[in-house]
């Protein structure tokens, strides 16, 4: 089998991690369990160079830096032959307990939203109703993980806890991915995604 085609090829380092899995019960309660199994993920090591280039409005699409939002930084990763985006808090002054709490809460919410959308689609199909336009939460195959500092060697990341989701198209020729997370702007919807 030929090697996969990657969207970028930054220097990578293999890390060992443990995974937590979310299960949503019928009443909507989210239950997390942490596996004892150790898994491996490859993470780009040059993301800091890409972040610095991005801050100077220079190209960073060949590095492992994908971007930074209001609270998280996105770094290129690979897991089981597939491209991922690994996210961590961007505020490096945050404590590990705060990071773990924030990422766990976000992962539980991601699992719950995925569950709710699936239940909603099942209900509308059973009732013969037209559902809302197709969209999804990037939850299937996502990872809530914690790097094993003892077996991973030197860590090129500010924190050991992370969320990783399958990478959406984000190259220079791809259209911009639209994140829909709500906002505090009141008024009429302005485009097809929010109408």
């Amino acid at each position: 089998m030929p090697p996969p085609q990657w969207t970028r090829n930054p220097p990578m380092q293999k890390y060992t991690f443990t995974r937590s899995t979310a299960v949503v019960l019928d009443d909507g309660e989210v239950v997390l369990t942490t596996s004892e199994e150790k898994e491996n993920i490859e993470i780009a090591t040059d993301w800091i160079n890409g972040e610095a280039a991005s801050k100077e409005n220079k190209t960073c699409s060949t590095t492992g830096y994908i971007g930074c939002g209001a609270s998280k930084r996105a770094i290129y990763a690979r897991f089981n032959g597939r491209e991922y985006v690994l996210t961590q808090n961007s505020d490096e002054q945050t404590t590990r307990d705060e990071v773990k709490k924030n990422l766990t809460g976000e992962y539980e919410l991601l699992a719950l939203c995925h569950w709710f959308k699936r239940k909603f689609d099942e209900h509308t199909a059973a009732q013969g109703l037209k559902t809302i336009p197709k969209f999804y939460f990037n939850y299937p195959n996502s990872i809530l993980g914690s790097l094993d500092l003892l077996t991973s060697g030197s860590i090129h990341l500010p924190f050991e806890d992370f969320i990783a989701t399958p990478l959406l198209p984000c190259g220079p020729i791809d259209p911009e991915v639209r994140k829909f997370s709500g906002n505090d702007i009141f008024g009429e919807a302005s485009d097809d995604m929010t109408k």
Side-chain angles (χ1 to χ4, degrees):
M1 172 178 263
Q5 292 291 95
W6 306 117
T7 59
R8 54 182 76 198
N9 199 22
M12 306 291 285
Q13 179 174 336
K14 187 183 290 186
Y15 294 91
T16 303
F17 74 96
T18 54
R19 174 197 303 251
S20 294
T21 304
V23 174
V24 182
L25 304 179
D26 287 338
D27 65 357
E29 180 185 355
V30 180
V31 178
L32 280 178
T33 57
T34 301
S35 172
E36 296 293 321
E37 178 186 352
K38 301 288 185 190
E39 299 180 80
N40 293 311
I41 187 167
E42 292 180 275
I43 304 170
T45 59
D46 69 344
W47 64 269
I48 291 177
N49 299 335
E51 184 174 56
S54 176
K55 288 178 180 176
E56 295 175 5
N57 293 320
K58 295 179 181 173
T59 184
C60 61
S61 61
T62 59
T63 72
Y65 177 74
I66 293 175
C68 193
S71 63
K72 286 186 297 310
R73 172 184 293 121
I75 300 166
Y76 180 80
R78 296 179 187 147
F79 177 71
N80 282 349
R82 187 170 184 184
E83 294 180 301
Y84 273 73
V85 59
L86 180 140
T87 55
Q88 292 193 318
N89 284 40
S90 56
D91 179 0
E92 295 180 21
Q93 303 305 311
T94 310
T95 68
R96 173 161 191 222
D97 287 342
E98 291 171 321
V99 169
K100 191 166 189 67
K101 180 181 175 185
N102 292 343
L103 293 177
T104 299
E106 183 169 328
Y107 193 74
E108 289 174 344
L109 183 60
L110 184 62
L112 190 59
C113 290
H114 174 75
W115 173 85
F116 182 80
K117 173 67 166 76
R118 186 174 45 82
K119 291 290 189 182
F120 182 82
D121 289 345
E122 289 170 3
H123 173 74
T124 57
Q127 299 297 315
L129 302 171
K130 182 176 178 170
T131 187
I132 55 179
K134 287 189 176 199
F135 75 93
Y136 70 97
F137 294 90
N138 199 6
Y139 176 72
N141 301 308
S142 64
I143 299 167
L144 174 61
S146 183
L147 299 175
D148 184 339
L149 300 178
L150 296 176
T151 60
S152 293
S154 62
I155 303 291
H156 295 91
L157 299 166
F159 305 106
E160 58 256 44
D161 299 298
F162 65 90
I163 293 176
T165 55
L167 180 67
L168 300 173
C170 62
I173 61 169
D174 294 309
E176 187 173 323
V177 173
R178 302 267 322 269
K179 177 181 177 185
F180 183 76
S181 59
N183 60 49
D184 59 0
I185 300 171
F186 295 97
E188 293 295 317
S190 59
D191 59 34
D192 289 337
M193 180 172 273
T194 56
K195 285 183 183 177

